[in-house]
Coordinates of all heavy atoms in Angstrom, one line a residue:
M1 N 0.8 -1.2 0.0 CA 0.0 0.0 0.0 C 0.8 1.3 0.0 O 0.4 2.3 -0.1 CB -0.9 0.0 1.2 CG -2.1 -0.9 1.1 SD -3.3 -0.8 2.4 CE -2.6 -2.1 3.5
L2 N 2.1 1.1 0.2 CA 3.0 2.3 0.2 C 3.5 2.5 -1.2 O 3.4 1.7 -2.1 CB 4.2 2.0 1.1 CG 4.0 1.8 2.6 CD1 5.2 1.4 3.2 CD2 3.3 3.0 3.2
N3 N 4.0 3.8 -1.5 CA 4.7 4.1 -2.7 C 5.7 5.2 -2.5 O 5.7 5.8 -1.5 CB 3.7 4.3 -3.9 CG 2.8 5.5 -3.4 OD1 3.2 6.4 -2.7 ND2 1.6 5.4 -4.0
G4 N 6.6 5.4 -3.5 CA 7.5 6.5 -3.4 C 8.5 6.4 -2.3 O 9.1 5.3 -2.1
L5 N 8.7 7.5 -1.6 CA 9.8 7.5 -0.7 C 9.6 6.6 0.5 O 10.5 5.9 1.0 CB 10.0 8.9 -0.1 CG 11.2 9.2 0.8 CD1 12.5 9.1 0.1 CD2 11.1 10.6 1.4
A6 N 8.3 6.5 1.0 CA 8.1 5.6 2.1 C 8.4 4.2 1.8 O 9.0 3.4 2.6 CB 6.6 5.8 2.5
L7 N 8.0 3.8 0.6 CA 8.3 2.4 0.2 C 9.8 2.2 0.1 O 10.3 1.1 0.6 CB 7.6 2.2 -1.2 CG 7.9 0.8 -1.8 CD1 7.2 -0.3 -1.0 CD2 7.3 0.8 -3.2
M8 N 10.5 3.2 -0.5 CA 11.9 2.9 -0.7 C 12.6 2.9 0.7 O 13.4 2.0 0.9 CB 12.5 4.2 -1.4 CG 13.8 4.0 -2.0 SD 14.5 5.4 -2.8 CE 15.1 6.4 -1.3
L9 N 12.2 3.7 1.7 CA 12.8 3.7 3.0 C 12.5 2.4 3.7 O 13.3 1.7 4.3 CB 12.2 4.9 3.9 CG 12.8 6.2 3.5 CD1 12.1 7.3 4.3 CD2 14.3 6.2 3.6
L10 N 11.2 1.8 3.6 CA 10.9 0.6 4.2 C 11.6 -0.6 3.6 O 12.2 -1.4 4.4 CB 9.4 0.4 4.0 CG 8.9 -0.8 4.9 CD1 8.8 -0.4 6.3 CD2 7.5 -1.3 4.4
I11 N 11.8 -0.6 2.3 CA 12.5 -1.7 1.7 C 14.0 -1.6 2.1 O 14.7 -2.6 2.3 CB 12.5 -1.5 0.1 CG1 11.0 -1.8 -0.4 CG2 13.3 -2.5 -0.6 CD1 10.6 -3.2 -0.3
N12 N 14.6 -0.4 2.2 CA 15.9 -0.2 2.6 C 16.1 -0.7 4.0 O 17.1 -1.3 4.4 CB 16.4 1.3 2.5 CG 17.3 1.5 1.4 OD1 18.2 0.7 1.2 ND2 17.0 2.5 0.6
C13 N 15.2 -0.4 5.0 CA 15.3 -0.8 6.4 C 15.2 -2.3 6.4 O 16.0 -2.9 7.1 CB 14.2 -0.2 7.1 SG 14.3 1.6 7.5
A14 N 14.3 -3.0 5.6 CA 14.2 -4.4 5.6 C 15.5 -5.0 5.1 O 16.0 -6.1 5.6 CB 13.0 -4.8 4.8
S15 N 16.1 -4.4 4.1 CA 17.3 -4.9 3.5 C 18.5 -4.8 4.5 O 19.3 -5.8 4.7 CB 17.7 -4.2 2.2 OG 19.0 -4.5 1.8
I16 N 18.5 -3.7 5.2 CA 19.6 -3.5 6.3 C 19.4 -4.5 7.4 O 20.4 -5.2 7.8 CB 19.6 -2.1 6.8 CG1 20.1 -1.1 5.8 CG2 20.4 -2.0 8.0 CD1 19.8 0.3 6.2
L17 N 18.2 -4.7 7.8 CA 18.0 -5.7 8.9 C 18.3 -7.1 8.4 O 19.0 -7.9 9.2 CB 16.5 -5.7 9.2 CG 16.0 -6.6 10.4 CD1 16.6 -5.9 11.7 CD2 14.5 -6.6 10.5
K18 N 18.0 -7.5 7.2 CA 18.4 -8.8 6.7 C 19.9 -9.0 6.6 O 20.4 -10.0 7.0 CB 17.8 -8.9 5.2 CG 18.1 -10.2 4.6 CD 18.9 -10.0 3.4 CE 19.3 -11.3 2.7 NZ 20.5 -11.0 1.8
N19 N 20.6 -8.0 6.2 CA 22.1 -8.0 6.0 C 22.7 -8.1 7.5 O 23.7 -8.9 7.7 CB 22.7 -6.9 5.3 CG 22.5 -7.0 3.8 OD1 22.8 -8.1 3.3 ND2 21.9 -6.0 3.1
V20 N 22.2 -7.3 8.4 CA 22.7 -7.3 9.8 C 22.5 -8.8 10.3 O 23.5 -9.3 11.0 CB 22.1 -6.3 10.6 CG1 22.3 -6.5 12.1 CG2 22.6 -4.9 10.3
L21 N 21.3 -9.3 10.2 CA 21.1 -10.6 10.7 C 22.0 -11.7 10.1 O 22.6 -12.6 10.8 CB 19.6 -11.0 10.5 CG 18.7 -10.3 11.5 CD1 17.2 -10.7 11.1 CD2 18.9 -10.7 12.9
A22 N 22.2 -11.6 8.7 CA 23.0 -12.5 8.1 C 24.4 -12.5 8.6 O 25.1 -13.5 8.8 CB 23.0 -12.3 6.6
V23 N 25.0 -11.3 8.7 CA 26.4 -11.1 9.1 C 26.5 -11.6 10.6 O 27.5 -12.3 11.0 CB 26.9 -9.7 9.0 CG1 28.2 -9.5 9.7 CG2 27.0 -9.4 7.5
S24 N 25.5 -11.3 11.4 CA 25.6 -11.8 12.8 C 25.6 -13.3 12.9 O 26.3 -13.9 13.7 CB 24.4 -11.2 13.6 OG 24.4 -9.8 13.5
I25 N 24.7 -13.9 12.2 CA 24.6 -15.4 12.2 C 26.0 -16.0 11.7 O 26.5 -16.9 12.3 CB 23.4 -15.9 11.3 CG1 22.1 -15.5 11.9 CG2 23.5 -17.4 11.1 CD1 20.9 -15.7 11.0
T26 N 26.5 -15.5 10.6 CA 27.7 -16.0 10.1 C 28.9 -15.8 11.1 O 29.6 -16.8 11.4 CB 28.1 -15.3 8.8 OG1 27.0 -15.3 7.9 CG2 29.3 -15.9 8.1
T27 N 29.0 -14.7 11.6 CA 30.1 -14.4 12.7 C 29.8 -15.3 13.8 O 30.8 -15.9 14.4 CB 30.0 -13.0 13.1 OG1 30.1 -12.2 11.9 CG2 31.2 -12.6 13.9
G28 N 28.6 -15.4 14.4 CA 28.4 -16.2 15.5 C 28.8 -17.7 15.2 O 29.4 -18.4 16.1
L29 N 28.4 -18.2 14.1 CA 28.7 -19.6 13.8 C 30.3 -19.8 13.6 O 30.8 -20.8 14.0 CB 28.0 -20.1 12.5 CG 26.5 -20.2 12.6 CD1 25.9 -20.6 11.3 CD2 26.2 -21.3 13.7
F30 N 31.0 -18.7 13.1 CA 32.4 -18.8 13.0 C 33.0 -19.0 14.3 O 33.9 -19.8 14.6 CB 32.9 -17.6 12.3 CG 33.2 -17.7 10.8 CD1 32.7 -16.8 10.0 CD2 33.8 -18.8 10.3 CE1 32.9 -16.8 8.6 CE2 34.1 -18.9 8.9 CZ 33.6 -17.9 8.1
L31 N 32.5 -18.2 15.3 CA 33.1 -18.2 16.7 C 32.8 -19.5 17.3 O 33.7 -20.2 18.0 CB 32.4 -17.1 17.5 CG 32.9 -15.7 17.2 CD1 32.2 -14.6 18.1 CD2 34.4 -15.6 17.3
L32 N 31.6 -20.0 17.1 CA 31.3 -21.4 17.7 C 32.2 -22.5 17.1 O 32.7 -23.3 17.8 CB 29.8 -21.7 17.5 CG 28.8 -21.0 18.2 CD1 27.4 -21.4 17.8 CD2 28.9 -21.3 19.7
Q33 N 32.3 -22.4 15.8 CA 33.1 -23.4 15.1 C 34.6 -23.3 15.6 O 35.2 -24.3 15.8 CB 33.1 -23.2 13.6 CG 33.6 -24.3 12.8 CD 33.8 -24.0 11.3 OE1 33.8 -22.8 11.0 NE2 33.9 -24.9 10.5
N34 N 35.1 -22.1 15.7 CA 36.5 -21.9 16.2 C 36.7 -22.6 17.5 O 37.8 -23.2 17.7 CB 36.7 -20.4 16.3 CG 38.2 -20.2 16.7 OD1 39.1 -20.7 16.2 ND2 38.4 -19.2 17.6
R35 N 35.8 -22.4 18.4 CA 36.0 -23.1 19.7 C 35.7 -24.5 19.8 O 36.1 -25.2 20.7 CB 35.0 -22.4 20.8 CG 35.2 -20.9 20.8 CD 36.5 -20.6 21.5 NE 36.8 -19.2 21.3 CZ 36.5 -18.3 22.2 NH1 35.8 -18.5 23.3 NH2 36.8 -17.0 21.9
S36 N 35.0 -25.1 18.8 CA 34.6 -26.4 18.9 C 35.6 -27.5 18.3 O 35.4 -28.6 18.6 CB 33.2 -26.7 18.2 OG 33.3 -26.4 16.8
V37 N 36.5 -27.0 17.6 CA 37.6 -28.0 17.1 C 38.9 -27.5 17.5 O 39.2 -26.4 17.9 CB 37.5 -28.0 15.5 CG1 36.2 -28.6 15.1 CG2 37.8 -26.8 14.9
T38 N 39.9 -28.4 17.5 CA 41.3 -28.0 17.8 C 41.9 -27.3 16.7 O 41.4 -27.3 15.5 CB 42.1 -29.3 18.1 OG1 42.2 -30.1 16.9 CG2 41.5 -30.1 19.2
Q39 N 43.0 -26.7 16.9 CA 43.6 -25.8 15.9 C 44.1 -26.6 14.7 O 43.9 -26.1 13.6 CB 44.9 -25.1 16.5 CG 45.4 -24.1 15.5 CD 46.5 -23.2 16.2 OE1 46.8 -23.4 17.3 NE2 47.0 -22.2 15.5
Q40 N 44.4 -27.9 14.9 CA 44.8 -28.7 13.8 C 43.7 -29.1 12.9 O 43.9 -29.4 11.7 CB 45.5 -30.0 14.3 CG 46.9 -29.9 14.9 CD 46.8 -29.3 16.3 OE1 45.8 -29.4 17.0 NE2 47.9 -28.7 16.8
Q41 N 42.5 -29.1 13.4 CA 41.3 -29.4 12.6 C 40.6 -28.2 12.1 O 39.6 -28.3 11.3 CB 40.3 -30.3 13.5 CG 40.8 -31.5 14.0 CD 39.9 -32.1 15.0 OE1 39.4 -31.5 15.8 NE2 39.7 -33.4 14.9
R42 N 41.1 -27.1 12.3 CA 40.3 -25.9 12.0 C 40.2 -25.6 10.6 O 39.1 -25.3 10.1 CB 41.0 -24.6 12.7 CG 40.0 -23.4 12.8 CD 40.6 -22.4 13.7 NE 40.7 -22.7 15.1 CZ 41.6 -22.3 16.0 NH1 42.5 -21.4 15.6 NH2 41.6 -22.7 17.2
G43 N 41.2 -25.9 9.8 CA 41.2 -25.7 8.3 C 40.1 -26.6 7.7 O 39.3 -26.3 6.9
A44 N 40.2 -27.9 8.1 CA 39.3 -28.9 7.5 C 37.8 -28.5 7.9 O 36.9 -28.6 7.0 CB 39.6 -30.3 8.1
A45 N 37.6 -28.2 9.2 CA 36.2 -27.8 9.5 C 35.8 -26.6 8.8 O 34.6 -26.6 8.4 CB 36.2 -27.5 11.1
N46 N 36.6 -25.6 8.6 CA 36.3 -24.4 7.9 C 35.9 -24.8 6.4 O 35.0 -24.3 5.8 CB 37.4 -23.4 7.9 CG 36.9 -22.1 7.5 OD1 35.8 -21.7 7.7 ND2 37.9 -21.3 6.9
G47 N 36.7 -25.7 5.8 CA 36.5 -26.0 4.4 C 35.1 -26.8 4.2 O 34.4 -26.5 3.4
I48 N 34.9 -27.7 5.2 CA 33.7 -28.5 5.1 C 32.5 -27.6 5.2 O 31.5 -27.6 4.5 CB 33.6 -29.6 6.2 CG1 34.7 -30.6 5.9 CG2 32.3 -30.2 6.3 CD1 34.9 -31.6 7.0
S49 N 32.6 -26.6 6.2 CA 31.4 -25.8 6.5 C 31.2 -24.8 5.3 O 30.0 -24.5 4.9 CB 31.5 -25.0 7.8 OG 32.6 -24.1 7.7
M50 N 32.2 -24.3 4.7 CA 32.1 -23.5 3.5 C 31.5 -24.2 2.4 O 30.6 -23.6 1.7 CB 33.5 -22.9 3.1 CG 34.0 -21.8 4.0 SD 32.9 -20.4 3.7 CE 33.6 -19.3 5.1
S51 N 31.9 -25.5 2.1 CA 31.3 -26.3 1.1 C 29.8 -26.4 1.3 O 29.0 -26.3 0.4 CB 32.0 -27.6 1.0 OG 33.4 -27.4 0.7
A52 N 29.5 -26.8 2.6 CA 28.1 -27.0 2.9 C 27.2 -25.8 2.7 O 26.2 -25.8 2.1 CB 27.9 -27.6 4.3
M53 N 27.9 -24.6 3.1 CA 27.1 -23.3 2.9 C 26.9 -23.1 1.4 O 25.7 -22.7 1.1 CB 27.9 -22.2 3.5 CG 27.2 -21.0 3.7 SD 28.0 -19.8 4.6 CE 29.1 -19.1 3.4
S54 N 27.9 -23.3 0.6 CA 27.8 -23.0 -0.8 C 26.7 -24.0 -1.4 O 25.8 -23.5 -2.2 CB 29.0 -23.2 -1.6 OG 30.1 -22.4 -1.1
L55 N 26.7 -25.2 -1.1 CA 25.7 -26.2 -1.6 C 24.4 -25.7 -1.2 O 23.4 -25.6 -2.1 CB 26.0 -27.5 -0.9 CG 25.4 -28.7 -1.5 CD1 26.0 -29.0 -2.9 CD2 25.6 -30.0 -0.7
F56 N 24.1 -25.4 0.0 CA 22.7 -25.0 0.4 C 22.4 -23.7 -0.2 O 21.1 -23.4 -0.4 CB 22.6 -25.0 1.9 CG 22.5 -26.4 2.5 CD1 23.5 -26.9 3.2 CD2 21.3 -27.1 2.2 CE1 23.4 -28.2 3.7 CE2 21.2 -28.4 2.8 CZ 22.3 -29.0 3.5
K57 N 23.3 -22.7 -0.4 CA 23.0 -21.5 -1.1 C 22.5 -21.7 -2.4 O 21.7 -21.0 -3.0 CB 24.2 -20.5 -1.0 CG 24.2 -19.7 0.2 CD 25.3 -18.7 0.0 CE 25.3 -17.7 1.2 NZ 26.4 -16.7 1.1
A58 N 23.1 -22.8 -3.2 CA 22.7 -23.1 -4.6 C 21.3 -23.8 -4.5 O 20.5 -23.6 -5.4 CB 23.8 -24.0 -5.1
I59 N 21.1 -24.7 -3.6 CA 19.9 -25.5 -3.6 C 18.7 -24.8 -3.1 O 17.6 -25.0 -3.6 CB 20.1 -26.8 -2.8 CG1 21.1 -27.7 -3.5 CG2 18.8 -27.6 -2.6 CD1 21.5 -28.9 -2.7
G60 N 18.9 -23.9 -2.1 CA 17.8 -23.3 -1.5 C 16.8 -22.5 -2.4 O 15.6 -22.8 -2.3
P61 N 17.3 -21.5 -3.1 CA 16.3 -20.9 -4.0 C 15.6 -21.7 -5.0 O 14.4 -21.6 -5.3 CB 17.3 -19.8 -4.7 CG 18.4 -19.7 -3.8 CD 18.6 -21.0 -3.2
A62 N 16.4 -22.8 -5.5 CA 15.7 -23.7 -6.5 C 14.6 -24.5 -5.8 O 13.4 -24.6 -6.4 CB 16.7 -24.6 -7.1
A63 N 14.9 -25.0 -4.6 CA 13.8 -25.8 -3.9 C 12.8 -25.0 -3.5 O 11.5 -25.3 -3.6 CB 14.6 -26.4 -2.7
G64 N 13.0 -23.7 -3.0 CA 11.9 -22.9 -2.5 C 11.1 -22.5 -3.8 O 9.8 -22.4 -3.7
G65 N 11.7 -22.2 -4.9 CA 10.9 -21.8 -6.1 C 10.0 -22.9 -6.6 O 8.9 -22.7 -6.9
S66 N 10.5 -24.2 -6.6 CA 9.7 -25.2 -7.1 C 8.5 -25.5 -6.1 O 7.5 -25.8 -6.5 CB 10.5 -26.5 -7.4 OG 11.4 -26.8 -6.4
L67 N 8.8 -25.4 -4.8 CA 7.7 -25.6 -3.8 C 6.7 -24.5 -4.0 O 5.5 -24.8 -4.0 CB 8.4 -25.5 -2.4 CG 7.4 -25.8 -1.2 CD1 6.9 -27.2 -1.3 CD2 8.1 -25.5 0.0
F68 N 7.1 -23.3 -4.2 CA 6.2 -22.2 -4.4 C 5.3 -22.4 -5.7 O 4.1 -22.2 -5.6 CB 7.0 -20.8 -4.5 CG 6.1 -19.6 -4.7 CD1 5.3 -19.2 -3.7 CD2 6.2 -18.9 -5.9 CE1 4.5 -18.1 -3.9 CE2 5.4 -17.8 -6.1 CZ 4.6 -17.4 -5.0
S69 N 6.0 -22.7 -6.8 CA 5.2 -22.9 -8.1 C 4.2 -24.1 -7.9 O 3.1 -24.1 -8.5 CB 6.1 -23.1 -9.2 OG 6.8 -24.3 -9.1
W70 N 4.7 -25.1 -7.2 CA 3.8 -26.3 -6.9 C 2.6 -25.9 -6.1 O 1.4 -26.2 -6.5 CB 4.6 -27.4 -6.2 CG 3.8 -28.6 -5.8 CD1 3.3 -29.5 -6.7 CD2 3.5 -29.0 -4.5 NE1 2.6 -30.5 -6.0 CE2 2.8 -30.3 -4.7 CE3 3.8 -28.6 -3.3 CZ2 2.3 -31.0 -3.7 CZ3 3.4 -29.4 -2.2 CH2 2.6 -30.5 -2.4
A71 N 2.8 -25.1 -5.1 CA 1.6 -24.6 -4.3 C 0.8 -23.7 -5.0 O -0.5 -23.7 -4.7 CB 2.2 -23.9 -3.0
Q72 N 1.3 -22.9 -6.0 CA 0.5 -22.0 -6.7 C -0.5 -22.7 -7.6 O -1.7 -22.2 -7.9 CB 1.3 -21.1 -7.6 CG 2.1 -20.0 -6.8 CD 1.2 -18.9 -6.4 OE1 0.5 -18.3 -7.2 NE2 1.2 -18.7 -5.1
K73 N -0.2 -23.9 -7.9 CA -1.1 -24.7 -8.9 C -2.3 -25.3 -8.1 O -3.1 -25.8 -8.7 CB -0.3 -25.8 -9.6 CG 0.5 -25.3 -10.7 CD 1.0 -26.4 -11.7 CE 1.9 -27.3 -10.9 NZ 2.6 -28.3 -11.6
R74 N -2.2 -25.5 -6.8 CA -3.2 -26.2 -6.1 C -3.8 -25.2 -5.0 O -3.6 -25.4 -3.8 CB -2.6 -27.4 -5.4 CG -1.2 -27.3 -4.9 CD -0.4 -28.5 -4.8 NE -1.1 -29.6 -4.1 CZ -1.1 -29.8 -2.7 NH1 -0.6 -28.9 -2.0 NH2 -1.8 -30.8 -2.3
Q75 N -4.5 -24.2 -5.5 CA -5.0 -23.2 -4.7 C -6.1 -23.7 -3.7 O -6.2 -23.0 -2.6 CB -5.7 -22.1 -5.6 CG -4.8 -21.5 -6.6 CD -4.0 -20.2 -6.1 OE1 -4.6 -19.6 -5.3 NE2 -2.9 -20.1 -6.6
D76 N -6.8 -24.7 -3.9 CA -7.8 -25.2 -3.1 C -7.5 -26.4 -2.3 O -8.4 -27.1 -1.7 CB -9.1 -25.5 -3.9 CG -9.6 -24.2 -4.7 OD1 -9.5 -23.1 -4.1 OD2 -9.9 -24.4 -5.9
A77 N -6.2 -26.8 -2.2 CA -5.9 -28.0 -1.6 C -5.9 -27.8 -0.1 O -5.9 -26.7 0.5 CB -4.4 -28.4 -2.1
F78 N -5.9 -29.0 0.6 CA -6.0 -28.9 2.0 C -4.5 -28.6 2.6 O -4.4 -27.9 3.6 CB -6.4 -30.3 2.6 CG -6.2 -30.6 4.0 CD1 -7.0 -29.8 5.0 CD2 -5.2 -31.4 4.5 CE1 -6.8 -30.0 6.3 CE2 -5.0 -31.6 5.9 CZ -5.8 -30.9 6.8
F79 N -3.5 -29.2 1.9 CA -2.1 -29.0 2.4 C -1.4 -28.1 1.4 O -1.4 -28.3 0.3 CB -1.5 -30.4 2.4 CG -0.1 -30.4 2.8 CD1 0.2 -30.1 4.2 CD2 1.0 -30.8 2.0 CE1 1.5 -30.1 4.6 CE2 2.3 -30.8 2.4 CZ 2.6 -30.5 3.8
F80 N -0.8 -27.0 1.9 CA -0.1 -26.1 1.1 C -0.9 -25.4 0.1 O -0.6 -25.3 -1.1 CB 1.1 -26.7 0.4 CG 2.4 -26.7 1.2 CD1 3.5 -27.5 0.7 CD2 2.6 -25.9 2.2 CE1 4.7 -27.5 1.5 CE2 3.7 -25.9 3.0 CZ 4.8 -26.6 2.6
P81 N -2.1 -24.9 0.4 CA -2.9 -24.1 -0.6 C -2.3 -22.8 -0.8 O -2.3 -21.9 0.1 CB -4.2 -24.1 0.1 CG -4.0 -24.2 1.6 CD -2.7 -24.8 1.8
D82 N -1.7 -22.5 -1.9 CA -1.2 -21.2 -2.2 C -0.2 -20.7 -1.3 O 0.0 -19.5 -1.2 CB -2.5 -20.2 -2.3 CG -2.1 -19.0 -3.1 OD1 -1.2 -18.9 -3.7 OD2 -2.9 -18.0 -2.8
I83 N 0.4 -21.4 -0.5 CA 1.4 -21.1 0.6 C 0.9 -20.1 1.6 O 0.3 -19.1 1.3 CB 2.8 -20.7 0.0 CG1 3.4 -21.8 -0.6 CG2 3.7 -20.2 1.1 CD1 4.9 -21.9 -0.8
Ligands
NAG1 C1 39.7 -19.3 18.3 O1 39.9 -20.3 19.3 C2 41.2 -20.2 19.9 C3 41.4 -21.3 20.8 O2 40.6 -22.5 20.5 C4 41.3 -18.8 20.6 O3 42.6 -18.7 21.2 C5 41.0 -17.7 19.6 O4 40.9 -16.5 20.3 C6 39.7 -18.0 18.9 N1 39.5 -17.0 17.9 C7 38.3 -16.2 18.0 C8 38.3 -15.2 16.8 O5 37.5 -16.3 18.8

């Protein structure tokens, strides 16, 4: 229902909040991971977690998109109607 400057400011605030949360989550997980393995294992743990993160970043939007388009086709269903 918004438009113009108000819409732009709201979208910007939402974007800033999203980025702050993403960086906080990433940093927090780095700290937890740093403490949870020994120094000799730190490189391997970091590599495994980076690979897993990239994999899920690639799969996430595709899986979400197909789920969304599937739900759009069954507007009157009992389960997942139109999401
Ligand atoms: C990572 O962990 C080591 C000990 O396990 C600690 O000395 C170091 O300060 C930690 N680094 C960070 C950024 O927390």
Side-chain angles (χ1 to χ4, degrees):
M1 282 186 271
L2 298 175
N3 56 31
L5 185 66
L7 178 65
M8 196 185 79
L9 287 177
L10 188 77
I11 296 287
N12 254 315
C13 286
S15 170
I16 289 170
L17 188 67
K18 179 242 175 199
N19 283 312
V20 166
L21 287 175
V23 171
S24 305
I25 290 171
T26 309
T27 308
L29 288 177
F30 266 132
L31 290 178
L32 288 177
Q33 190 193 20
N34 180 47
R35 300 293 167 88
S36 65
V37 294
T38 64
Q39 189 170 3
Q40 288 77 24
Q41 297 171 318
R42 199 168 292 157
N46 195 31
I48 291 170
S49 70
M50 281 293 173
S51 303
M53 193 173 78
S54 301
L55 194 70
F56 283 108
K57 271 188 175 179
I59 292 175
S66 45
L67 185 65
F68 181 68
S69 68
W70 178 64
Q72 287 285 303
K73 278 193 300 187
R74 40 204 308 278
Q75 303 269 330
D76 303 318
F78 168 70
F79 182 66
F80 268 167
D82 195 15
I83 294 206

